[in-house]
Amino acid sequence: MCELLPGDFRYNECGMKQTGASNTIYNSQKPQGAEVIGPMDLWEILKLILYGLVEGITEWLPVSSTGHLILLEKFLPLQLSPEFLALFRIVIQLAAILAVVIYFWPQLWPIKRQTWDLDILSLWGKILLACVPAGIVGLCLDEFFEKYFYNPLSVALALILVALVFLLVESRQTGQTPRIVHHRQITWQIALLIGCFQMLAGVFPGVSRSGACIIGGLILGLSRPAASEFSFYLAIPVMAGASLLKLLRLPVSASSMELLALALACLVAFATSLLTIKYFLAYVRSHSFRGFAYYRIALGLVILLFLALT
């Protein structure tokens, strides 16, 4: 709970007026319509913005956004109610997804000059097919894996193991010419296999949904830009579906201050996502994923060291 400054007051949970001068509680009942002021101070708002930045950057890089958010919640926790924190996680993810939709709108909108583009309709079919494995696992086992694997130790191990896979795949890619350089060349079978790789990210936090898709794409013969772009496409249905499903299960209740801070964090996540997607795609056209692998290993080792010392 945030400390009250002199001159400030709030109504505590019992409806008593509490002042900041001496933390004195007066026996004056909360007026009808007044609400209990939660710990939403400037520092909490800055932390929400930081969470939005982390979501917008890590959601589209092969470094695991879920893993980073779990670590933030562990080492820089938000002083918010569990209900609002759950709402926050879902909504900033939807803001990041909206950035993908807008960025790739010309490639994904199937109506061109008042006629249906069959190539884009086929692409959407492959996208939806690729999301089936993750959808099945998410519906059946989401709560189980969230209970037992959403912790810093699991994140650290997944960061390191997937980084080693990245390095192995990149070493095999050296000197090879990719067979698939455009999404039109992706077959239905390849789309489904990439979806199976994506499923792993839904099971183990720290794997990275985009990272799993990219690894699967590289193994199956996609170029780095093609694998990265297809991973962005897959994010739209699988992440939007999972987020909306959780949102429907969640009792939504938030103060006006909380909603304002949430909107600010979403704006940050949206804007950051647009920039991240743009520069990441430009980067992978001429660079490998080794740099991201080294970052994952370093972060995983730091987490393990911290856990060993505490």
Side-chain angles (χ1 to χ4, degrees):
M1 181 70 70
C2 297
E3 184 178 354
L4 292 175
L5 299 175
D8 293 342
F9 71 89
R10 64 164 159 255
Y11 293 94
N12 66 14
E13 290 81 356
C14 299
M16 303 301 182
K17 184 176 180 182
Q18 181 177 356
T19 68
S22 59
N23 280 339
T24 305
I25 298 177
Y26 295 92
N27 188 16
S28 61
Q29 293 296 318
K30 177 177 65 174
Q32 187 173 3
E35 54 187 10
V36 178
I37 299 179
M40 182 65 70
D41 58 10
L42 179 60
W43 174 234
E44 288 303 309
I45 293 174
L46 291 176
K47 285 197 289 185
L48 283 170
I49 294 173
L50 175 62
Y51 273 59
L53 278 170
V54 171
E55 168 66 22
I57 294 172
T58 61
E59 187 63 61
W60 312 115
L61 303 182
V63 296
S64 177
S65 63
T66 301
H68 280 75
L69 290 176
I70 289 174
L71 296 176
L72 270 181
E73 291 173 14
K74 173 69 175 178
F75 302 117
L76 192 65
L78 294 167
Q79 302 301 316
L80 303 171
S81 67
E83 293 80 11
F84 180 71
L85 187 57
L87 175 66
F88 173 77
R89 292 194 198 107
I90 295 169
V91 175
I92 62 168
Q93 194 172 62
L94 289 173
I97 297 169
L98 180 61
V100 175
V101 174
I102 291 177
Y103 189 89
F104 291 107
W105 183 263
Q107 293 95 314
L108 295 175
W109 181 244
I111 301 176
K112 306 292 184 183
R113 298 178 182 177
Q114 299 182 340
T115 59
W116 291 95
D117 188 315
L118 297 182
D119 286 336
I120 296 180
L121 288 177
S122 175
L123 172 63
W124 271 110
K126 294 169 186 175
I127 290 171
L128 295 176
L129 177 64
C131 293
V132 170
I136 294 174
V137 171
L139 287 172
C140 298
L141 299 173
D142 182 62
E143 292 183 1
F144 172 80
F145 285 107
E146 185 169 345
K147 179 180 180 181
Y148 291 104
F149 293 100
Y150 276 53
N151 57 73
L153 178 59
S154 296
V155 169
L157 294 176
L159 284 169
I160 295 172
L161 290 175
V162 174
L164 296 177
V165 175
F166 256 120
L167 292 175
L168 177 62
V169 172
E170 280 289 356
S171 66
R172 293 182 57 188
Q173 296 292 114
T174 304
Q176 293 188 4
T177 302
R179 296 182 293 106
I180 299 171
V181 297
H182 195 274
H183 64 73
R184 291 190 181 91
Q185 299 173 281
I186 298 174
T187 65
W188 293 84
Q189 182 182 9
I190 289 177
L192 181 60
L193 289 173
I194 293 175
C196 292
F197 279 91
Q198 177 179 241
M199 177 185 64
L200 296 175
V203 173
F204 301 106
V207 169
S208 169
R209 189 206 57 79
S210 64
C213 293
I214 291 169
I215 287 174
L218 294 177
I219 292 173
L220 294 168
L222 275 70
S223 66
R224 295 185 186 97
S228 302
E229 193 167 312
F230 194 64
S231 78
F232 294 150
Y233 295 165
L234 297 189
I236 298 172
V238 74
M239 290 172 55
S243 298
L244 291 174
L245 185 61
K246 291 178 181 179
L247 195 60
L248 291 174
R249 295 174 179 172
L250 188 69
V252 180
S253 177
S255 68
S256 57
M257 186 63 177
E258 286 175 331
L259 291 176
L260 180 61
L262 179 59
L264 181 59
C266 286
L267 182 62
V268 172
F270 173 79
T272 308
S273 291
L274 287 175
L275 292 174
T276 301
I277 294 167
K278 176 182 177 180
Y279 290 108
F280 176 69
L281 288 176
Y283 176 86
V284 298
R285 290 188 183 99
S286 57
H287 296 80
S288 74
F289 292 103
R290 289 189 179 89
F292 297 104
Y294 297 141
Y295 168 79
R296 292 177 65 106
I297 292 173
L299 180 59
L301 291 176
V302 168
I303 297 168
L304 290 177
L305 178 62
F306 179 85
L307 293 176
L309 295 177
T310 56

